Amino acid sequence: MPESAAQSIAGTSKIELFDVPKIVRECAQHGDLALSLVQNLKDTVAIFNQEACAYVHFECTGREAVQTAMAIEAQQFLRDMEESIAIVIEALLSLGELHACTMVLERANFQCIGVSSLGLKCAQWAAPLARSLHSLRERSRSALCVQWGNAPGAHLYTAEQRHQVLTLVAKDLGLAGGNDEVNLTSLEDWLALASEVGILAGLLGRMGAEIACMGQQEVAEITISGAHFSATCNLAIANADSASQRVASLLEFGGRPQPEQHWKVRLAPWF
């Protein structure tokens, strides 16, 4: 690709130059998330550099473009979630240290089975969250990476050239790059990542249910000020139920045999 063409395409790839409502409408009409975006970019590039138009979407498939975009969006969501969970874990550990000797009832299925401490309960809530957060980060590294190398022309490059392209693009997008000859995240990687998110949501839901039980007026083991305390616990429980159902749907869909060329059908449940 000529350097002048690359500079023209990079300079034109600005969100303010895209007609987003038009792209959304055309995506719905064509059933293709990449086609309308690429065509819009070609039209814009052609205004400034007609020769560079031929290099738009060069040696990259629509599937790779869509999956890379999904990885970028998922990474931002997971980054925000990780920051929030880290705050929760830190707060639980602080409360656990402060209330190490504060006695509470130990329960199984919300039935009293013995005596424990609030400090231990906080540690029991924090430890699974920390383990789940670690697993989520590990899964993110394998699932959220640049997708490139499946187009026929990509195989004309040497392994060193492909690795260089992946490394530079991954650095620019803030994603992981791959060393494989063909760098495509498998469906199993995405399902494993979704499962980790579901597990984390389930842990938060269980914690919310236990805190709600401890905060009931007839139990009154903990007192939390604020009118939204009960609503917050119920929201955690509802989100956990919703996440488990969504993950179950994804796992069921992922287990169905789908022809490889029907990749858009395979991606549909994620939207």
Side-chain angles (χ1 to χ4, degrees):
M1 178 187 297
E3 183 177 353
S4 60
Q7 291 178 349
S8 294
I9 295 171
T12 311
S13 299
K14 299 177 180 179
I15 185 62
E16 57 268 21
L17 298 179
F18 287 89
D19 188 346
V20 177
K22 177 184 175 183
I23 294 174
V24 172
R25 290 194 302 270
E26 291 179 349
C27 285
Q29 294 173 358
H30 301 150
D32 193 313
L33 294 170
L35 180 61
S36 299
L37 177 63
V38 171
Q39 187 57 52
N40 191 278
L41 178 58
K42 284 185 176 181
D43 294 341
T44 307
V45 169
I47 297 174
F48 304 97
N49 189 340
Q50 183 65 43
E51 295 180 356
C53 193
Y55 295 97
V56 174
H57 202 51
F58 184 66
E59 301 298 359
C60 178
T61 66
R63 173 182 180 177
E64 291 168 341
V66 171
Q67 288 191 328
T68 299
M70 287 176 59
I72 295 172
E73 289 295 315
Q75 184 183 60
Q76 183 58 53
F77 161 76
L78 292 174
R79 186 181 292 117
D80 293 342
M81 185 173 68
E82 287 176 10
E83 292 177 358
S84 298
I85 297 300
I87 293 173
V88 172
I89 293 173
E90 184 178 356
L92 288 172
L93 294 178
S94 298
L95 285 172
E97 184 176 358
L98 182 63
H99 295 282
C101 298
T102 302
M103 307 306 292
V104 296
L105 294 177
E106 179 70 20
R107 293 181 174 83
N109 296 324
F110 304 102
Q111 300 297 319
C112 179
I113 60 172
V115 179
S116 182
S117 73
L118 183 57
L120 178 59
K121 289 296 297 180
C122 288
Q124 290 174 336
W125 290 329
L129 287 176
R131 291 194 298 268
S132 181
L133 191 58
H134 175 74
S135 298
L136 185 64
R137 288 168 177 163
E138 292 297 316
R139 291 295 185 186
S140 297
R141 292 190 184 99
S142 60
L144 305 183
C145 61
V146 175
Q147 305 294 290
W148 180 76
N150 200 42
H155 297 280
L156 299 177
Y157 300 99
T158 66
E160 182 179 354
Q161 289 173 326
R162 284 194 296 271
H163 177 64
Q164 184 180 18
V165 170
L166 280 172
T167 301
L168 292 174
V169 174
K171 181 180 179 180
D172 190 49
L173 296 178
L175 296 174
N179 296 318
D180 297 332
E181 182 177 358
V182 177
N183 190 49
L184 283 177
T185 301
S186 68
L187 177 63
E188 290 74 19
D189 290 326
W190 279 99
L191 292 177
L193 180 60
S195 298
E196 292 295 344
V197 174
I199 291 172
L200 187 56
L203 292 173
L204 292 172
R206 184 175 67 182
M207 182 177 71
E210 293 180 358
I211 292 176
C213 178
M214 296 170 69
Q216 289 179 356
Q217 186 174 0
E218 56 271 22
V219 177
E221 288 182 322
I222 58 175
T223 302
I224 302 179
S225 59
H228 301 295
F229 163 63
S230 178
T232 301
C233 292
N234 290 334
L235 182 61
I237 298 170
N239 286 337
D241 291 341
S242 176
S244 64
Q245 294 170 9
R246 180 61 63 87
V247 171
S249 298
L250 288 171
L251 292 173
E252 180 185 6
F253 183 85
R256 300 174 188 171
Q258 295 284 349
E260 186 63 23
Q261 64 269 27
H262 292 173
W263 63 270
K264 285 178 282 189
V265 177
R266 298 173 71 92
L267 292 179
W270 296 92
F271 297 95

